[in-house]
Amino acid sequence: MQLGMIGLGRMGANLVRRLMRAGHECVVWDVNADAIAALAAEGAVAATSLEDLAARLTGPRNIWVMVPAGYVQSTVDGLAEVLSPDDAVIDGGNSYYRDDIARAAQLREKGIHYVDCGTSGGVWGLDRGYCLMIGGEDEVVARLDPIWRTIAPGAGDAEPTPGRHPGGTAQEGYLHCGPNGAGHFVKMVHNGIEYGVMAAIAEGLSIIRHADAGLHTQEIDAETTPLRDPQFYQYEIDIAEVAEVWRRGSVIGSWLMDLTAAALAADPDLSSFGGRVSDSGEGRWTVIAAVEEGVPANVIQAALNARFSSRDLNEFQDKVQSAQRSQFGGHAEKPIVEGGAADAAATAP
Ligand SMILES: O=C(O)[C@H](O)[C@@H](O)[C@H](O)[C@H](O)COP(=O)(O)O
């Protein structure tokens, strides 16, 4: 099948490679001419502009957009000018589902189809395949089935889910979730879950890493809150090895655990990271949806807040709390002791 690809960054380029490996023809365009040339050298058809991309595709055209979030709308606007009725635009990025609904309506006025596709798998997807969460009209989603089937992982050697009625595409790694926006809605929540799982693994490993706190009590001067029971925190446990053993048959073994173990094996102290955890919006949107639906989402919201705190966005409110303690009790902030127990108030009056 023929597909146009706009945006040849890590995700877009690897999608093209995976499609070409399976014999699909890809016509590619990017603002970066080097990225186009690299894929052309691997067999893709190079386009020189949006107009040229459209001219090189046979109708009805199918064009996948894989550009940074801030460029999706301008790309859709540009495509609206060069495409024809029954052509289809697929947004494979992490767009907000409400934007999908608006973009689908915008293109529908010209008879152009819009499909939102949450694409999970990151830089590993070229070989592992990408999990696809799709939103759009039935007919156009069905027409793109050869594309979904190629990009998705397939059933592979995963055992069928016991008790599940066989059939459908979910077992192949792609799912038509509903009308426009539904694909990105499911991907949004997927990423919210991702925040929670990541945070839980990170917190657990940090608790184990600090299980040596009782060995450092002598370094803590009288100004700090003492560790209440230092005899219970005498463990120097290699967390890289813990992450590794958790990969082997444990309940919490997962791809995120695999990646965590790989990161710790490469750099046990994670010294190349500053610990300021970014976010691209998906967690915020998940929490907004949860609030608007009235659904408790304690874990996801806490994980999102932890990301904000990691970037010192809590700094002023924490100063306010220290000021309040100072005001009502004359309490001073205690110094932070490297390697000591967290400044718990367990023994403080
Ligand atoms: O499923 C995936 O492959 C990932 O979720 C992918 O989509 C991306 O790595 C996140 O969007 C990062 O999101 P944050 O920047 O919000 O952590």
Side-chain angles (χ1 to χ4, degrees):
M1 191 168 175
Q2 195 188 41
L3 185 80
M5 178 67 72
I6 299 173
L8 306 176
R10 286 190 301 265
M11 291 289 286
N14 280 346
L15 285 167
V16 167
R17 291 188 178 105
R18 190 168 169 88
L19 287 163
M20 290 195 304
R21 278 182 190 174
H24 296 286
E25 181 190 337
C26 293
V27 183
V28 300
W29 185 69
D30 191 286
V31 288
N32 178 354
D34 292 342
I36 300 174
L39 280 172
E42 296 177 39
V45 178
T48 55
S49 65
L50 274 190
E51 294 77 8
D52 187 45
L53 180 88
R56 288 173 186 274
L57 291 164
T58 309
R61 305 174 180 92
N62 301 306
I63 299 183
W64 189 298
V65 178
M66 206 71 194
V67 300
Y71 296 94
V72 177
Q73 187 59 54
S74 57
T75 305
V76 168
D77 292 344
L79 285 171
E81 298 305 314
V82 299
L83 296 185
S84 308
D86 208 27
D87 290 346
V89 174
I90 305 128
D91 176 11
N94 275 340
S95 295
Y96 194 22
Y97 73 96
R98 297 183 186 193
D99 293 336
D100 295 322
I101 294 168
R103 288 170 187 149
Q106 174 191 350
L107 293 182
R108 195 176 302 121
E109 283 180 11
K110 299 200 167 193
I112 302 167
H113 307 286
Y114 179 90
V115 179
D116 50 283
C117 178
T119 310
S120 183
V123 293
W124 302 76
L126 172 60
D127 296 316
R128 292 175 94 237
Y130 302 83
C131 174
L132 302 178
M133 295 145 266
I134 304 160
E137 306 142 282
D138 291 347
E139 282 178 22
V140 69
V141 172
R143 153 176 133 192
L144 288 160
D145 193 71
I147 298 296
W148 313 131
R149 189 167 287 278
T150 298
I151 294 173
D157 50 13
E159 291 292 323
T161 300
R164 179 181 181 272
H165 188 36
T169 63
Q171 65 187 28
E172 306 292 331
Y174 65 104
L175 182 68
H176 183 194
C177 301
N180 284 124
H184 277 150
F185 191 94
V186 174
K187 177 62 164 57
M188 170 188 83
V189 177
H190 164 280
N191 281 33
I193 295 168
E194 185 178 289
Y195 284 33
V197 176
M198 289 169 66
I201 293 171
E203 289 177 7
L205 289 172
S206 186
I207 294 167
I208 295 173
R209 185 176 160 88
H210 287 94
D212 64 351
L215 299 170
H216 301 287
T217 48
Q218 68 284 1
E219 297 160 22
I220 302 171
D221 69 30
E223 285 293 303
T224 60
T225 306
L227 180 63
R228 182 184 170 122
D229 296 306
Q231 71 275 20
F232 295 131
Y233 302 97
Q234 302 280 325
Y235 306 120
E236 293 183 302
I237 300 170
D238 184 337
I239 59 164
E241 290 297 286
V242 172
E244 179 63 27
V245 79
W246 282 346
R247 297 181 60 211
R248 313 288 169 183
S250 86
V251 168
I252 57 172
S254 61
W255 190 46
L256 274 172
M257 189 64 76
D258 297 347
L259 299 176
T260 306
L264 289 167
D267 178 4
D269 293 323
L270 303 180
S271 48
S272 56
F273 296 95
R276 299 170 65 84
V277 189
S278 300
D279 77 292
S280 310
E282 304 268 336
R284 302 182 195 210
W285 304 332
T286 304
V287 169
I288 290 170
V291 169
E292 293 188 345
E293 293 175 0
V295 172
N298 302 306
V299 172
I300 295 172
Q301 190 149 5
L304 176 65
N305 288 338
R307 289 196 183 197
F308 294 158
S309 297
S310 80
R311 308 202 300 259
D312 294 339
L313 297 175
N314 57 322
E315 188 179 10
F316 185 71
Q317 67 210 54
D318 290 347
K319 285 183 178 178
V320 170
Q321 289 191 70
S322 281
Q324 289 165 333
R325 288 182 79 247
S326 170
Q327 287 285 331
F328 63 64
H331 304 300
E333 287 184 332
K334 292 170 181 161
I336 297 167
V337 178
E338 193 61 35
D343 184 19
T347 58

